């Protein structure tokens, strides 16, 4: 029996993880290209280079790690404990969820929608090269490593691994195209307020999807909670998150089958993120009101000083002018008496 060279599941794995990776890279590139603090050509070039370098090295390290783990497993054993893979994937997703939630909170600050902290020199502290390297490298490594976790069972089964190259390439193309569409949409949105909102909401849902998926991995290991609904088979499986096209929105929290834990974790994390954004917005409002009040008071003080200075300059001139008139009148009277 011949083994097919194309596997829809493998393509879906690649497409989903590549989409997540391109969204993350695209968000960082957009920030570097759009924020005022990165408009200096050399600094912007260094930022974009840091993003590309971090993503490239993280991907390479993850691929090497996958090979180092998969080859020995394939040679020494035909069995792979799926529970270990689920736990690893779950922990990775939960950690990544909080990293991306933090990025969701930072995006509006980077674009000037939220108030930014200031250093002693008054320069706004935003995205640094160090934070770019760490966050991009961690998230891209996680995405590529997750592909490896999903593919290990295919490596262990030997013959099925033949479907990985073609299916993986197709998934990379699909995920890359969708990620590019999101990136281009970010670049063409000229209004930074709407751009900040779009990016923050997109990342918040990405973080929520990762958190929900991570807890679901634990649920599959230690026991499932009751299913609330399941319409994966509706319309010929069109709505299933395990098949295209709906698999592409799964990273943002979509699922055609929900357990009690999935529903609770989705809405809890999403509400938590919304509360944090509200707190940021409220804090920004208070900070800017205080800044406006301070500026008004400063302007009032300057105006008062200017008036006092003007008064001090005009008063001697007036007195001098009055003295001159009196002297002229006295001089005129003396001339009349002499005549």
């Amino acid at each position: 029996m011949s083994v097919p060279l194309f596997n829809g599941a493998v393509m879906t794995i690649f497409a989903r993880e590549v989409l997540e990776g391109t969204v993350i890279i695209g968000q960082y590139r957009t920030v570097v290209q759009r924020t005022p603090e990165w408009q200096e050509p050399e600094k912007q070039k260094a930022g974009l280079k840091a993003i590309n370098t971090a993503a490239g090295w993280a991907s390479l390290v993850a691929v090497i790690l996958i090979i180092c783990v998969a080859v020995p497993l394939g040679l020494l054993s035909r069995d792979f404990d799926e529970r270990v893979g689920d736990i690893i994937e779950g922990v990775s997703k939960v950690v990544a969820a909080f990293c991306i939630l933090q990025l969701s909170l930072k995006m509006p600050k980077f674009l000037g929608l939220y108030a930014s902290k200031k250093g002693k020199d008054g320069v706004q502290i935003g995205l640094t090269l160090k934070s770019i390297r760490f966050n991009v490298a961690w998230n891209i490594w996680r995405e590529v490593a997750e592909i490896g976790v999903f593919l290990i069972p295919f490596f262990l089964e030997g013959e099925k691994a033949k479907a990985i190259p073609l299916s993986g390439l197709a998934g990379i193309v699909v995920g890359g195209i969708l990620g590019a569409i999101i990136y281009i949409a970010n670049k063409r949105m000229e209004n930074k307020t709407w751009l900040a909102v779009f990016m923050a909401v997109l990342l918040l849902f990405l973080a929520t999807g990762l958190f929900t998926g991570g807890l679901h991995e634990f649920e599959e290991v230690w026991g499932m909670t009751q299913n609330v609904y399941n319409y994966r088979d509706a319309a010929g499986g069109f709505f299933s998150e395990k098949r295209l096209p709906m698999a592409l929105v799964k990273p943002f929290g979509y699922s055609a089958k929900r357990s009690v834990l999935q529903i609770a974790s989705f809405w809890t994390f999403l509400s938590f993120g919304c509360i944090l954004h509200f707190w940021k917005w409220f804090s920004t409002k208070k900070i800017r009101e205080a800044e406006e009040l301070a500026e008004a008071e400063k302007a009032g003080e300057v105006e008062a000083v200017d008036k006092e200075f003007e008064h001090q300059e005009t008063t001697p001139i007036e007195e001098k002018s009055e003295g001159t008139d009196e002297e002229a009148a006295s001089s005129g009277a003396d001339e009349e008496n002499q005549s």
Side-chain angles (χ1 to χ4, degrees):
M1 182 178 179
S2 61
V3 178
L5 297 179
F6 183 82
N7 186 296
V10 173
M11 184 185 72
T12 300
I13 290 169
F14 275 88
R16 188 180 68 185
E17 304 303 333
V18 169
L19 173 60
E20 290 185 29
T22 52
V23 166
I24 294 168
I25 293 173
Q27 301 288 26
Y28 274 102
R29 289 183 62 88
T30 300
V31 169
V32 170
Q33 291 172 338
R34 296 289 297 273
T35 49
E37 65 182 277
W38 288 91
Q39 291 310 301
E40 184 182 341
E42 290 299 323
K43 186 176 181 181
Q44 186 178 96
K45 183 179 179 180
L48 295 174
K49 182 179 179 181
I51 294 171
N52 296 335
T53 303
W57 279 108
S59 300
L60 179 61
V61 171
V63 170
I64 293 174
L65 181 63
I66 291 169
I67 295 173
C68 291
V69 173
V71 172
L73 285 176
L75 295 174
L76 300 176
S77 175
R78 310 299 292 180
D79 297 320
F80 177 72
D81 190 350
E82 293 184 0
R83 291 165 60 90
V84 176
D86 290 340
I87 293 172
I88 293 172
E89 185 183 355
V91 172
S92 176
K93 284 185 176 181
V94 170
V95 171
F98 282 98
C99 289
I100 294 177
L101 175 60
Q102 185 182 33
L103 182 60
S104 173
L105 294 169
K106 286 184 176 181
M107 283 298 175
K109 183 180 72 173
F110 295 153
L111 293 171
L113 184 60
Y114 290 163
S116 179
K117 294 180 180 179
K118 295 185 177 181
K120 294 180 180 180
D121 58 354
V123 178
Q124 289 189 343
I125 301 173
L127 197 63
T128 63
L129 286 174
K130 184 177 180 181
S131 64
I132 285 176
R133 293 188 183 101
F134 174 78
N135 284 289
V136 172
W138 163 252
N139 282 288
I140 298 305
W141 180 89
R142 177 186 57 79
E143 299 299 344
V144 179
E146 281 186 1
I147 292 176
V149 171
F150 284 122
L151 292 182
I152 286 176
F154 288 89
F155 285 118
L156 294 176
E157 293 185 35
E159 289 295 319
K160 286 188 177 181
K162 294 180 179 179
I164 292 176
L166 182 60
S167 306
L169 180 61
I172 291 172
V173 171
V174 172
I177 290 174
L178 292 175
I181 291 173
I182 294 174
Y183 175 66
I184 293 171
N186 276 342
K187 290 190 68 175
R188 292 189 176 182
M189 292 177 69
E190 297 297 334
N191 189 322
K192 286 190 176 182
T193 298
W194 288 109
L195 176 60
V197 171
F198 174 76
M199 295 170 73
V201 170
L202 185 72
L203 287 170
L204 176 58
F205 274 95
L206 180 58
T208 302
L210 286 167
F211 182 78
T212 305
L215 293 191
H216 182 60
E217 298 295 337
F218 301 147
E219 187 179 29
E220 290 183 337
V221 173
W222 291 302
M224 294 288 297
T225 57
Q226 182 178 358
N227 287 327
V228 178
Y229 62 80
N230 182 0
Y231 53 88
R232 283 178 177 171
D233 296 328
F238 175 83
F239 296 102
S240 175
E241 76 279 7
K242 294 186 175 183
R243 299 173 57 182
L244 292 173
M246 303 309 292
L248 298 174
V249 294
K250 183 181 179 181
F252 303 100
Y254 172 79
S255 178
K257 180 181 179 181
R258 289 289 197 195
S259 65
V260 172
L261 179 62
Q262 284 179 294
I263 293 175
S265 59
F266 178 90
W267 290 109
T268 299
F269 193 88
L270 183 62
S271 300
F272 176 65
C274 290
I275 290 171
L276 290 179
H277 274 289
F278 176 78
W279 177 74
K280 283 282 189 180
W281 172 82
F282 184 77
S283 299
T284 296
K285 184 179 178 182
K286 291 296 182 182
I287 291 171
R288 288 181 176 163
E289 286 177 353
E291 289 176 349
E292 290 175 1
L293 181 60
E295 289 177 0
E297 290 178 351
K298 185 177 179 180
E301 292 175 359
V302 171
E303 186 177 355
V305 171
D306 289 342
K307 287 183 178 179
E308 184 178 353
F309 182 72
E310 290 175 2
H311 177 70
Q312 290 176 353
E313 283 187 333
T314 56
T315 299
I317 295 174
E318 291 175 354
E319 291 176 353
K320 184 177 180 181
S321 177
E322 290 175 359
T324 303
D325 292 342
E326 290 175 357
E327 290 175 358
S330 175
S331 175
D334 292 341
E335 290 177 358
E336 289 179 359
N337 291 332
Q338 289 177 2
S339 60

